């Protein structure tokens, strides 16, 4: 990535974190200088000089910029690590405030009955991983997971699997022996196996076909199945709960193909 693209990406990310465009441009400009004046910043960032002062005041109030009251005034960005920590704290504070605000919102009751069986679609690897972690955390009897892509075996997923309670059976399927070994090492309390689903294996999936990402069955009642888009590797999933016993039995036996009956007498 060249310098221009890096600068524009930094400006975009700062705006996503809550800064206005001129504030983001001034901060990125200052990050390239030891110190700078309003004139220098205006020339470097193409922010009007009168707006530079407004942007700097906001950045100083947020702890991202320091001001030397000389003539002319000199500005400098705080060290990058310090700025990143300040922005992280601000972002996390906003998320906590959002959570607290929505947590107190009254739920509107609907007259129609909620169907027993529900299927929902969701997108985005972060969101799907968060839902996966939440479902694993809520498991009370059994977790059956088939990992369809090595990239999905993240530190967060490993941590969630290792936090499963003693009374919960943990069964994890992999596509290859090398991935099975990785899983067994990372999650020593799990019963691991090579998945018997041939259509999950990478060599049977062409470049333009959608590949299975993860299959998760919690307590034989809640199912999450994700797929990976062939070009972007973006993850999409369907999530369902409240299924009847027949579908769950079929799903579980498909997912656990390759697991020896002797190691899993419940199958």
């Amino acid at each position: 990535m060249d310098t221009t693209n890096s600068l524009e990406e930094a400006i975009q990310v700062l705006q996503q974190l809550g800064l206005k465009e001129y504030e983001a441009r001034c901060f990125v400009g200052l990050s390239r200088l030891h110190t700078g004046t309003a004139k220098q910043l205006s020339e470097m960032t193409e922010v009007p000089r009168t707006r530079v002062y407004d942007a700097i005041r906001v950045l100083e109030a947020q702890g991202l910029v320091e001001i030397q009251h000389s003539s002319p005034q000199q500005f400098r960005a705080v060290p990058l690590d310090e700025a990143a920590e300040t922005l992280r704290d601000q972002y996390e504070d906003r998320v906590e405030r959002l959570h607290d605000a929505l947590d107190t919102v009254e739920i509107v009751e609907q007259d129609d009955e909620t169907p027993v069986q529900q299927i929902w679609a969701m997108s985005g690897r972060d969101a799907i991983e968060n839902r996966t972690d939440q479902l694993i955390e809520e498991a009370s009897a059994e977790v059956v997971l088939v990992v369809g892509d090595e990239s999905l075996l993240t530190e967060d997923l490993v941590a969630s699997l290792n936090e499963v309670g003693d009374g919960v059976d943990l069964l994890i399927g992999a596509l290859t022996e090398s991935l099975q070994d990785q899983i067994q090492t990372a999650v020593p309390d799990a019963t691991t196996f090579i998945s018997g689903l041939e259509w999950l294996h990478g060599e049977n999936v062409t470049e333009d076909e959608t590949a299975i990402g993860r299959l998760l069955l919690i307590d034989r009642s809640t199912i999450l199945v994700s797929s990976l888009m062939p070009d972007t590797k973006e993850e999409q999933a369907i999530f369902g709960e409240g299924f009847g016993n027949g579908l769950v039995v079929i799903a579980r036996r498909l997912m656990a193909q390759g697991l020896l009956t002797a190691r899993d007498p419940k199958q």
Side-chain angles (χ1 to χ4, degrees):
M1 183 181 294
D2 60 36
T3 299
T4 300
N5 289 338
S6 296
L7 294 175
E8 288 302 319
E9 181 178 5
I11 290 169
Q12 291 176 12
V13 171
L14 286 168
Q15 288 182 264
Q16 293 169 1
L17 290 172
L19 295 184
K20 295 180 179 179
E21 181 181 357
Y22 286 169
E23 296 161 4
R25 289 192 176 279
C26 285
F27 180 78
V28 170
L30 284 176
S31 70
R32 304 177 65 191
L33 300 169
H34 291 296
T35 62
T37 64
K39 180 181 178 181
Q40 290 173 317
L41 267 183
S42 179
E43 293 173 349
M44 173 181 289
T45 63
E46 298 183 353
V47 174
R49 187 169 176 178
T50 55
R51 300 299 299 275
V52 167
Y53 291 104
D54 295 333
I56 291 297
R57 278 194 291 269
V58 173
L59 293 171
E60 182 195 25
Q62 295 193 21
L64 299 174
V65 163
E66 297 172 342
I67 299 176
Q68 184 180 75
H69 294 284
S70 54
S71 183
Q73 286 184 324
Q74 297 281 337
F75 315 121
R76 70 178 183 184
V78 301
L80 179 58
D81 289 345
E82 183 179 329
E85 188 63 31
T86 296
L87 288 168
R88 183 178 293 109
D89 291 343
Q90 293 176 356
Y91 187 82
E92 291 177 352
D93 179 63
R94 289 171 184 167
V95 172
E96 286 297 322
R97 286 163 53 198
L98 172 64
H99 177 275
D100 293 342
L102 291 180
D103 193 42
T104 62
V105 173
E106 182 180 358
I107 301 298
V108 178
E109 298 294 341
Q110 296 178 313
D111 294 334
D112 58 325
E113 294 184 359
T114 302
V116 175
Q117 297 182 4
Q118 301 180 5
I119 297 178
W120 301 89
M122 57 191 308
S123 300
R125 180 165 297 191
D126 289 343
I128 295 169
E129 180 165 352
N130 289 339
R131 177 61 57 83
T132 299
D133 293 343
Q134 179 186 355
L135 293 175
I136 293 173
E137 181 181 347
E138 294 173 352
S140 60
E142 181 185 69
V143 173
V144 181
L145 172 66
V146 176
V147 180
D149 190 278
E150 185 175 345
S151 67
L152 301 181
L153 188 66
T154 63
E155 292 182 4
D156 286 343
L157 177 58
V158 168
S160 295
L161 292 169
N162 280 319
E163 291 173 2
V164 167
D166 293 337
V168 178
D169 291 332
L170 182 56
L171 314 173
I172 307 177
L175 301 185
T176 63
E177 290 185 2
S178 62
L179 181 55
Q180 182 187 21
D181 291 341
Q182 289 183 46
I183 295 171
Q184 192 68 75
T185 300
V187 191
D189 292 336
T191 297
T192 62
F193 60 96
I194 301 297
S195 170
L197 297 177
E198 294 182 355
W199 47 270
L200 275 176
H201 290 254
E203 61 267 22
N204 294 325
V205 178
T206 62
E207 292 182 358
D208 59 348
E209 288 182 329
T210 300
I212 292 297
R214 68 185 91 201
L215 294 90
L216 177 67
L217 178 62
I218 301 294
D219 293 340
R220 307 195 180 200
S221 62
T222 300
I223 301 173
L224 185 148
V225 180
S226 79
S227 59
L228 298 176
M229 299 299 99
D231 296 329
T232 62
K233 297 301 180 181
E234 292 181 359
E235 191 174 10
Q236 298 180 352
I238 56 172
F239 161 74
E241 54 189 343
F243 293 109
N245 290 336
L247 178 58
V248 169
V249 168
I250 293 173
R252 188 183 184 285
R253 287 185 177 177
L254 281 172
M255 291 172 65
Q257 281 187 12
L259 182 65
L260 296 176
T261 303
R263 297 178 66 185
D264 181 27
K266 296 180 182 179
Q267 185 168 326

